[in-house]
């Protein structure tokens, strides 16, 4: 990874990277596996049940309950019991980033160190709900749930209600603001703290918010990241009900095919990534390594009167806003790190949005899609995907999209496939969009070799 680049001398820069992904834990392992063309998509090794075809997804099999306590969250092991998997992944990535950037309240005032983190609603596993639900159910005349018994003792005086049978700290394990809370407590950050729940669009949004906090002088350093774990029993069932999921006969690593003519849907996943942000001047004063710079951010949500989302318009709006904010023209961008879901309709809308923004160059600009290697981790996907471009450009290449075999006439894009694409253009545009029409984009410049 590159040291500080001489042309990154102003603005808000990236000085630390932490990542817990299906493609590796830690910047070094992630970079190595990315460069080697590997995939993190596999059949589940940790879950006894998932709701997705073939139990296939982007799973972090080396991050289990035992290793979380003894290795990845060793300093926080007494708190692991009140962290669900999403929170564990997010905190682990943040602690990595803090260490990577050598950030500490020993040298940075606690009230000048903030946290901006993205997560979604987190769902309780079935095994933790079985007994409480039983206490609120009746078997006759047929098994059914009695809502009135959930919060009351009913006729069984002295017996716990359904809610009373829940573990005492249950709620703290599943709130989307808890990653930011745990991170703040762990590192002693007492500056601005905020949590964003915008599903896949969260990653770019937390960066945009963190940059603005620093730019207006409310913090010197921001810990900014996202986490998501869709590859578990409850989240995977939701995916099976709501999403177009890939269904293939071949090896799991070939299932996710963004922008490919033969794509059959998305593959779900899990993961987290965190970036440390500060001004270039602040980074230089403390001798920090700079990995890149956040130049611009844009966001848009477009929905018709009947509630139907319009991803194409939302993505185009967000990209244009990010370019405007960065003071960059489309022809200056070296590549687009796309949302690249693997879903026919969403991929088509994104491809058309890229053409809307880049015009005649829409079919020429290199496009890469990291969900082909990571799956869709919901809120966690955007930051992990951004890191992929950041570390790859540090080595002078654009990361390759896996499983792109046949070009789709409905997605006329220059998809980077086969081999990483050498480049000396370190500007890239990162896009993400949600199923309800929320889109975000950031313009990033990676530090040179």
């Amino acid at each position: 990874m590159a040291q500080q680049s001489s042309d990154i001398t102003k603005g808000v820069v990236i000085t630390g990277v932490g990542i817990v992904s299906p493609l590796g834990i830690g910047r070094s392992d992630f970079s190595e596996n990315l460069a080697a063309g590997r995939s993190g998509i596999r059949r589940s090794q940790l879950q006894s049940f998932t709701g997705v075809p073939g139990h296939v997804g982007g799973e972090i099999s080396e991050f289990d309950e035992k290793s979380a306590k003894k290795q990845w969250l060793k300093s926080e092991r007494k708190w692991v019991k009140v962290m669900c998997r999403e929170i564990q992944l997010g905190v682990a990535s943040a602690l990595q980033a803090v260490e990577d950037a050598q950030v500490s309240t020993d040298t940075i005032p606690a009230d000048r160190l903030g946290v901006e983190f993205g997560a979604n609603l987190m769902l309780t596993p079935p095994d933790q709900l079985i007994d409480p639900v039983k206490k609120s159910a009746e078997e006759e005349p047929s098994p059914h749930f009695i809502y009135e018994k959930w919060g009351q003792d009913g006729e069984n005086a002295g017996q716990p209600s359904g809610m009373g049978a829940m573990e005492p700290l249950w709620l703290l394990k599943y709130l989307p603001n808890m990653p930011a809370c745990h991170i703040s407590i762990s590192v002693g950050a007492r500056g601005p703290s905020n949590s964003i729940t915008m599903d896949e669009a969260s990653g770019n949004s937390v960066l945009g918010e963190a940059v603005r906090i620093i730019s207006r002088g409310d913090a010197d350093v921001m810990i900014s990241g996202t986490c998501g774990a869709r590859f578990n029993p409850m989240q995977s069932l939701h995916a099976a009900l709501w999403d177009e999921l890939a269904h293939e006969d071949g090896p799991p690593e070939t299932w996710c095919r963004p922008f490919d003519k033969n794509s059959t849907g998305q593959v779900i996943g899990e993961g987290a990534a965190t970036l440390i942000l500060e001004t270039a001047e602040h980074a230089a004063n403390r001798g920090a390594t700079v990995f890149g710079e956040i130049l611009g951010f844009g966001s848009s949500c477009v929905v018709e009167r009947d509630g139907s989302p319009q991803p194409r318009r939302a993505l185009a709006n967000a990209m244009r806003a990010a370019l405007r904010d960065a003071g960059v023209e489309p022809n200056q961008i070296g590549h687009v790190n796309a949302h690249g879901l693997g879903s026919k309709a969403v991929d088509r809308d994104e491809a058309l949005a890229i053409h809307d923004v880049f015009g005649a160059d829409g079919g020429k600009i290199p496009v890469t899609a990291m969900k082909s290697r990571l799956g869709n981790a919901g809120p966690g996907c955007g930051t992990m995907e951004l890191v992929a471009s950041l570390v790859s450009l540090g080595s002078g290449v654009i990361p390759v999209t896996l499983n792109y075999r046949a070009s789709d006439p409905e997605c006329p894009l220059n998809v980077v496939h086969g081999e990483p694409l050498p480049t000396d253009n370190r500007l890239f545009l990162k896009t993400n969009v949600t199923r309800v029409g929320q889109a975000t984009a950031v313009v990033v410049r990676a530090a040179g070799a």
Side-chain angles (χ1 to χ4, degrees), residues 3-291:
Q3 297 295 311
Q4 183 163 351
S5 176
S6 60
D7 62 346
I8 296 182
T9 57
K10 59 183 180 179
V12 175
V13 298
I14 302 164
T15 57
V17 177
I19 186 163
V20 182
S21 84
L23 206 54
I25 299 178
R27 175 163 53 84
S28 177
D29 284 349
F30 179 79
S31 300
E32 180 182 339
N33 289 324
L34 188 69
R38 300 188 180 107
S39 172
I41 294 174
R42 55 182 69 90
R43 297 190 193 278
S44 178
Q45 299 176 29
L46 300 180
Q47 305 290 344
S48 59
F49 168 82
T50 67
V52 298
H55 307 299
V56 167
E59 182 178 75
I60 312 169
S61 54
E62 61 267 47
F63 193 103
D64 56 16
E65 186 175 351
K66 183 177 180 180
S67 66
K69 291 180 179 179
K70 292 191 174 182
Q71 184 175 3
W72 313 116
L73 291 168
K74 188 175 181 180
S75 63
E76 305 302 306
R77 56 187 177 275
K78 68 179 180 179
W79 299 112
V80 170
K81 62 184 178 182
V82 289
M83 298 181 189
C84 67
R85 186 165 178 83
E86 287 102 317
I87 298 173
Q88 291 177 19
L89 297 174
V91 175
S93 75
L95 295 180
Q96 283 180 26
V98 166
E99 183 178 357
D100 192 39
Q102 299 181 16
V103 166
S104 167
T105 52
D106 292 339
T107 56
I108 298 169
D111 62 354
R112 302 294 297 170
L113 176 62
V115 179
E116 186 84 24
F117 223 81
N120 261 22
L121 295 176
M122 303 167 189
L123 305 182
T124 306
D127 60 350
Q128 295 185 27
L129 292 173
I130 291 173
D131 288 341
V133 168
K134 284 181 176 179
K135 293 181 181 299
S136 300
E138 291 184 356
E139 294 296 324
E140 300 294 340
S142 61
H144 60 289
F145 185 85
I146 308 297
Y147 287 93
E148 290 79 6
K149 294 180 69 174
W150 178 253
Q152 300 174 1
D153 289 345
E155 298 178 359
N156 299 316
Q159 297 297 315
S161 62
M163 184 178 291
M166 296 292 288
E167 57 182 314
L169 299 179
W170 162 73
L171 190 62
L172 294 181
K173 293 180 68 173
Y174 304 101
L175 290 173
N177 65 314
M178 292 310 295
C181 293
H182 283 289
I183 294 164
S184 297
I185 293 169
S186 177
V187 302
R190 299 179 184 175
S193 179
N194 190 34
S195 301
I196 289 179
T197 55
M198 286 179 63
D199 215 340
E200 294 98 333
S202 299
N204 302 325
S205 191
V206 295
L207 293 176
E209 289 295 314
V211 166
R212 280 155 174 72
I213 288 170
I214 293 172
S215 297
R216 64 176 178 254
D218 289 340
D220 293 327
V221 178
M222 290 295 294
I223 302 166
S224 181
T226 55
C227 60
R230 301 185 71 207
F231 200 45
N232 63 45
M234 294 301 289
Q235 295 280 23
S236 64
L237 280 174
H238 280 218
L241 290 170
W242 295 341
D243 299 322
E244 179 187 2
L245 298 180
H247 49 279
E248 302 282 347
D249 295 326
E253 62 270 20
T254 67
W255 283 30
C256 189
R257 304 174 181 179
F259 305 115
D260 188 89
K261 182 180 179 180
N262 299 312
S263 64
T264 59
Q266 66 172 290
V267 170
I268 63 172
E270 61 179 0
T274 302
L275 304 178
I276 304 300
L277 304 180
E278 57 191 299
T279 65
E281 181 181 6
H282 189 272
N285 287 341
R286 68 183 192 89
T289 297
V290 171
F291 300 112

Side-chain angles (χ1 to χ4, degrees), residues 289-346:
T289 297
V290 171
F291 300 112
E293 180 180 11
I294 308 297
L295 296 176
F297 165 72
S299 180
S300 177
C301 182
V302 182
V303 180
E304 295 289 1
R305 290 180 182 272
D306 64 1
S308 59
Q310 298 296 313
R312 175 180 177 177
R313 287 167 55 194
L315 280 162
N317 289 347
M319 285 189 275
R320 290 190 178 110
L323 291 166
R324 217 168 31 242
D325 191 38
V328 169
E329 296 297 325
N331 61 11
Q332 293 177 267
I333 295 294
H335 78 274
V336 176
N337 185 312
H339 184 63
L341 188 60
S343 167
K344 284 286 190 182
V346 178

